Amino acid sequence: MVPLDFLIRQCRLEGPVAKRHVLFVNLRRIQREGLESLLAARRLGYGVVLLGRSVPEFAKPLVDEFRQVDTYDREASLAAARDLAKSYDLAGVANFTEVDVQLVAAIAADLGLRGMSETAALRARNKYAMKEALRHLGGVLPRFARVTGLDELRKALDEVGLPAVVKPTGASGSKGIFELRGPADLEPAMERLAGIARPDFDPVFRQFGAEFIVEEFLEGDELSVEGFVSDGEVHVVTVTDKVTSVPYHLELSHKVPSALPSDDWAEITATTKDIVAGLGFDHCAFHLEAKWGEQGLRFIEIAARPAGDYIGSHLVPLATGVDYFENVIRVATGDPLRLEHDRQVNAGLRFVLAERAGRFEEVGGLQGICEQAGFDHVFYEVPAGTEVALPPENFGQQRVAAVVARHVTRAGLEALLDRVPAEAVARVTPAVADGE
Ligand SMILES: Nc1ncnc2c1ncn2[C@@H]1O[C@H](COP(=O)(O)OP(=O)(O)OP(=O)(O)O)[C@@H](O)[C@H]1O
Ligand SMILES: [Mg+2]
């Protein structure tokens, strides 16, 4: 044991102990999620250096240094990270979005920090490489094939069958998810996808471009599994029940914890461990998406990043007491995870969607919601006055607000969330067409 007075004397001689830093690579797009991730690092005593395309205003007071770089440019980003490592004692590096998984793995390897292998990171980013690596799991996966055009799609459907889903292998944020219900759906879907899976539509398509995966359409209730993998050990924190919109599968609501019975949780946990191990994910948060039906868990995909949609920032902490973003930092730095639940509450959210394209004016009907104690937060996701569009023209603008609620019972939570679409209405002034 080092005597306390020695430590105090040493501090006096050497000044305050230099702060260690965590290197953040970009922030989540949703401001409130980005804020929670920065605050978590601060609570744990770390400073933050941020490498990214831009730094939002709210983040500036919480970031010790921001280094602007095009994070799609791997070499420039690696050089910038190396340079930052000369000035800061980096305890870890963390990504918060899908597109940065491979870059963060490369930075970790380069700087000798904790991270996952480049092979695992590629599997995290490419929906086809991911499923290929998991073929040994058999019936957990949908039937699937890689296609690049209409002829290949037709051929692949002999094996995959209809109904099916076709989507870009490198997509995230539900950009370009097309259901194929009958033969007539193939051509329009591929035409649309040719316009979507391009870097000029969205930079997420810079890497894998016009490469698609076609999958058997999975029936059942949708869920996600939230967890961490650290030193190869997989920890499931909770399971989320999820509802998506028809037909483009944008998220509508999330509820934590899932209402499935405990036997089902056991199977979900066991399969999740097989999937994370099979992919070789390590030292990261993960968010696994699946359907639960007659055949048990059927796997959609897994992301090697923190859960978005306020699941990590709000729903998990409200429902379980686990500080999700503190654990995102811990898993990057190697500090022991703290995943004990200290409560059993139901937490959930419901998104408010614009019903048409145009100028988003406001969300009406929020007063009644704000007056009820069970509603914990209301977030505007786009400022009033923003032009919004609907899918398939745009996949990211239909969602204008989110309402978070909590209740001790699941039925109570559902009653609260059911009020949201009934009462909270996005007012949108339609764009006036030329000549009208
Ligand atoms: N094979 C499938 N069967 C049924 N539904 C599917 C299938 N694949 C995708 N979906 C639906 O589309 C949604 C988005 O698919 P996926 O997660 O692969 O795309 P994504 O672009 O990564 O979206 P996100 O970032 O929102 O998770 C799923 O959550 C699910 O609702
Ligand atoms: Mg997904």
Side-chain angles (χ1 to χ4, degrees):
M1 267 278 278
V2 183
L4 189 63
D5 67 319
F6 172 76
L7 288 178
I8 293 169
R9 265 187 286 126
Q10 196 186 35
C11 276
R12 283 209 191 103
L13 286 175
E14 297 176 5
V17 178
K19 197 160 54 165
R20 301 200 76 196
H21 281 75
V22 179
L23 177 61
F24 278 35
V25 177
N26 289 311
L27 294 170
R28 287 200 63 79
R29 184 184 60 82
I30 303 282
Q31 288 198 16
R32 187 58 194 264
E33 294 180 328
L35 178 65
E36 295 302 329
S37 63
L38 291 165
L39 290 172
R42 195 184 179 87
R43 278 197 300 279
L44 293 176
Y46 290 109
V48 171
V49 276
L50 174 66
L51 191 71
R53 290 183 292 278
S54 61
V55 57
E57 209 51 46
F58 76 84
K60 286 181 181 166
L62 293 162
V63 168
D64 288 330
E65 184 170 340
F66 166 62
R67 190 66 63 90
Q68 205 269 328
V69 66
D70 174 7
T71 40
Y72 288 104
D73 182 337
R74 181 187 153 109
E75 289 315 314
S77 303
L78 276 170
R82 250 175 242 142
D83 198 47
L84 284 168
K86 287 183 197 149
S87 315
Y88 296 91
D89 178 12
L90 296 180
V93 53
N95 63 283
F96 298 89
T97 70
E98 201 80 13
V99 288
D100 296 316
V101 174
Q102 288 170 287
L103 175 59
V104 161
I107 291 174
D110 194 55
L111 300 182
L113 301 171
R114 282 159 63 91
M116 73 174 83
S117 71
E118 297 222 17
T119 310
L122 171 69
R123 292 171 179 158
R125 273 298 293 130
N126 183 294
K127 293 177 198 287
Y128 180 73
M130 178 184 292
K131 292 226 163 68
E132 270 291 299
L134 294 174
R135 271 197 195 273
H136 61 282
L137 295 181
V140 169
L141 303 191
R143 294 183 297 278
F144 68 98
R146 176 182 177 276
V147 298
T148 54
L150 187 58
D151 289 345
E152 284 179 16
L153 177 64
R154 286 210 174 95
K155 220 176 284 161
L157 283 172
D158 291 343
E159 290 289 315
V160 171
L162 287 173
V165 170
V166 63
K167 54 194 180 184
T169 55
S172 71
S174 302
K175 296 175 193 116
I177 313 291
F178 287 89
E179 284 182 21
L180 307 174
R181 296 271 157 198
D185 295 339
L186 276 55
E187 205 171 329
M190 290 313 276
E191 255 170 42
R192 288 276 194 194
L193 278 170
I196 289 169
R198 300 160 52 103
D200 54 357
F201 180 82
D202 192 299
V204 75
F205 297 114
R206 275 209 216 169
Q207 191 178 0
F208 302 111
E211 180 194 75
F212 309 101
I213 182 168
V214 58
E215 295 175 355
E216 162 195 359
F217 184 89
L218 297 171
E219 304 289 350
D221 295 325
E222 198 157 350
L223 57 81
S224 60
V225 185
E226 324 309 339
F228 296 90
V229 50
S230 184
D231 291 313
E233 202 180 330
V234 182
H235 306 267
V236 169
V237 177
T238 194
V239 180
T240 306
D241 288 329
K242 163 174 169 177
V243 179
T244 60
S245 65
V246 177
Y248 291 109
H249 298 280
L250 302 183
E251 282 84 356
L252 275 185
S253 82
H254 297 287
K255 296 177 204 97
V256 179
S258 167
L260 288 171
S262 56
D263 282 358
D264 297 351
W265 277 64
E267 184 186 326
I268 291 166
T269 301
T271 309
T272 297
K273 290 185 175 178
D274 289 344
I275 290 170
V276 175
L279 294 170
F281 283 10
D282 210 355
H283 306 309
C284 66
F286 64 81
H287 171 73
L288 181 150
E289 296 176 322
K291 288 237 180 152
W292 182 262
E294 278 168 14
Q295 297 174 56
L297 186 139
R298 307 291 313 278
F299 175 67
I300 296 177
E301 68 160 354
I302 181 168
R305 56 149 169 90
D309 283 355
Y310 310 96
I311 294 171
S313 60
H314 290 81
L315 302 190
V316 171
L318 282 171
T320 67
V322 172
D323 193 316
Y324 186 90
F325 273 114
E326 283 191 8
N327 286 292
V328 169
I329 305 300
R330 290 189 182 108
V331 82
T333 57
D335 295 329
L337 300 180
R338 295 190 54 186
L339 301 173
E340 311 77 34
H341 294 204
D342 70 4
R343 69 195 73 164
Q344 284 185 310
V345 177
N346 290 271
L349 71 78
R350 172 82 199 202
F351 288 111
V352 180
L353 302 187
E355 295 298 328
R356 57 186 173 194
R359 191 184 133 97
F360 164 58
E361 308 290 357
E362 61 165 348
V363 180
L366 285 179
Q367 186 175 345
I369 283 173
C370 292
E371 282 170 3
Q372 165 106 28
F375 290 107
D376 210 46
H377 298 278
V378 176
F379 300 116
Y380 265 39
E381 294 207 327
V382 293
T386 308
E387 290 295 327
V388 297
L390 270 43
E393 278 66 44
N394 187 294
F395 293 93
Q397 295 179 351
Q398 189 175 16
R399 232 167 81 172
V400 292
V403 180
V404 174
R406 67 205 156 138
H407 197 280
V408 283
T409 68
R410 173 67 175 228
L413 175 67
E414 284 177 7
L416 286 168
L417 295 180
D418 284 348
R419 285 182 52 186
V420 178
E423 294 178 35
V425 179
R427 290 200 225 289
V428 175
T429 308
V432 181
D434 283 350
E436 274 184 32

